[in-house]
Amino acid sequence: MKIIDAQVHIWSQTVTPTSGLHRKVAKFTAEEVLAEMDEAGVDAALIHPPRGWDPDSNALAIEAVRNYPDRFAIMGNFALENPDDRKLIHGWRKQPGMMGLRWPLLLEEQQKWLYDGSLDWLWPAAEQEGLPLAMMGGLFLPKFREIAERHPGLKMILDHCGLNRHGRDAEAFVHLDELLALAQLPNVAVKATGAPHYSTEPYPFCNIHDGLHRIFDAFGPKRMFWGTDITRMPCSYRQCVTFFTEELPWLKGADLEDVMGRALCDWIGWDYASVRGRAW
């Protein structure tokens, strides 16, 4: 079984991360994340360039793919506020390792773009180019659903389990029913990244098992992708892995293989056979 992390960040700027609980370090290189991946038994990872604190992170991700083509792929981005950058979406996949697009839209001023028409061009353009698109949709589930319904050919991914980013324990699952209803749309998937962050309990985070099980039952193994966002996790990388591979009794066999990497590759068009495997 190959284990593929659906979200990691690397960066090189001297400013430290401005987002959430990410490690406050000036840089986090491809080589550093690879060392942690190797220790944890992770074969490959999908890089999400953190443009919010490193404007050059897209180029850094492409360099990582060139140096380690069997270990990395990318969900990239560009400056949505710059109309001149819109043309970049055409031929986006021609860049090394580029699988799709991702904008978290964490800030209130960025979320306004969803409602004022600023992004109305983006959804049909990504749909036409066949580019999967990931967002922190748990912050705006009704709008996320509206976009997915209007563009059924656009593969959309809910970041970080689609849960309430600002809550932990039961508060993280306050809109779970609304999230599960999105599973009715075949073009919507869930990235089960950052799950340990939602629990204040120690490993194995038993109080969020039921919620994760309900998400799995709704979306199924083909539309639920394990991952970490490791630079803000409250536990070790290896524990992020074993949380899913050893602690969830309902996740076994072919379903486990799908959730731990195969389904992600199928969804975004990453050649599973090209990912470096290891002897288990």
Side-chain angles (χ1 to χ4, degrees):
M1 179 176 69
K2 296 178 182 179
I3 296 180
I4 302 172
D5 193 333
Q7 180 171 329
V8 300
H9 299 302
I10 58 173
W11 61 93
S12 62
Q13 296 292 301
T14 55
V15 294
T16 55
T18 56
S19 176
L21 301 174
H22 283 285
R23 301 175 192 175
K24 305 306 181 187
V25 295
K27 63 179 181 177
F28 187 61
T29 66
E31 288 72 25
E32 287 174 304
V33 73
L34 281 172
E36 295 190 19
M37 288 163 59
D38 287 344
E39 184 177 356
V42 176
D43 295 298
L46 187 60
I47 299 173
H48 291 48
R51 182 180 179 81
W53 67 78
D54 183 352
D56 297 327
S57 54
N58 243 40
L60 187 69
I62 290 173
E63 180 184 9
V65 168
R66 287 192 173 119
N67 291 336
Y68 309 99
D70 60 347
R71 306 298 303 275
F72 293 124
I74 312 166
M75 292 289 279
N77 57 64
F78 50 83
L80 287 172
E81 64 272 27
N82 184 354
D84 291 338
D85 280 1
R86 294 182 182 183
K87 62 181 181 292
L88 296 175
I89 202 170
H90 303 295
W92 188 250
R93 276 186 178 270
K94 294 180 181 178
Q95 301 173 90
M98 199 65 73
M99 298 289 123
L101 299 161
R102 193 258 183 168
W103 290 276
L105 302 181
L106 293 176
L107 303 179
E108 184 177 346
E109 56 265 34
Q110 295 170 336
Q111 291 174 30
K112 289 178 180 178
W113 300 339
L114 292 163
Y115 304 95
D116 65 11
S118 298
L119 301 182
D120 287 355
W121 66 273
L122 176 60
W123 326 122
E127 185 177 25
Q128 183 175 356
E129 291 289 317
L131 295 171
L133 190 150
M135 295 187 291
M136 287 289 294
L139 296 171
F140 40 85
L141 281 176
K143 189 63 178 180
F144 190 96
R145 183 182 188 105
E146 178 187 322
I147 297 165
E149 288 179 331
R150 192 183 307 134
H151 301 280
L154 175 60
K155 288 185 173 181
M156 299 184 66
I157 303 172
L158 288 154
D159 289 338
H160 300 336
C161 305
L163 298 177
N164 172 22
R165 181 176 182 268
H166 303 296
R168 303 183 78 183
D169 303 324
E171 185 65 20
F173 295 86
V174 290
H175 56 227
L176 182 60
D177 289 341
E178 187 178 7
L179 166 66
L180 300 182
L182 277 167
Q184 300 166 357
L185 304 177
N187 60 322
V188 174
V190 172
K191 208 190 320 148
T193 45
H197 166 78
Y198 290 117
S199 176
T200 60
E201 293 188 3
Y203 181 90
F205 320 113
C206 293
N207 66 330
I208 63 172
H209 287 202
D210 180 65
L212 292 174
H213 196 178
R214 292 182 63 189
I215 294 171
F216 173 82
D217 282 347
F219 286 88
K222 299 295 186 183
R223 291 191 290 148
M224 184 175 179
F225 316 136
W226 171 83
T228 66
D229 201 17
I230 189 57
T231 46
R232 67 175 186 88
M233 287 299 95
C235 60
S236 73
Y237 210 152
R238 185 60 188 163
Q239 286 176 320
C240 287
V241 175
T242 58
F243 177 34
F244 273 64
T245 61
E246 298 178 7
E247 304 295 344
L248 304 178
W250 40 268
L251 189 56
K252 300 293 183 184
D255 288 351
L256 178 63
E257 184 174 354
D258 280 336
V259 169
M260 298 307 292
R262 184 182 291 277
L264 172 69
C265 289
D266 290 345
W267 189 264
I268 65 174
W270 189 0
D271 181 9
Y272 188 72
S274 72
V275 173
R276 192 198 77 170
R278 65 180 69 224
W280 288 89

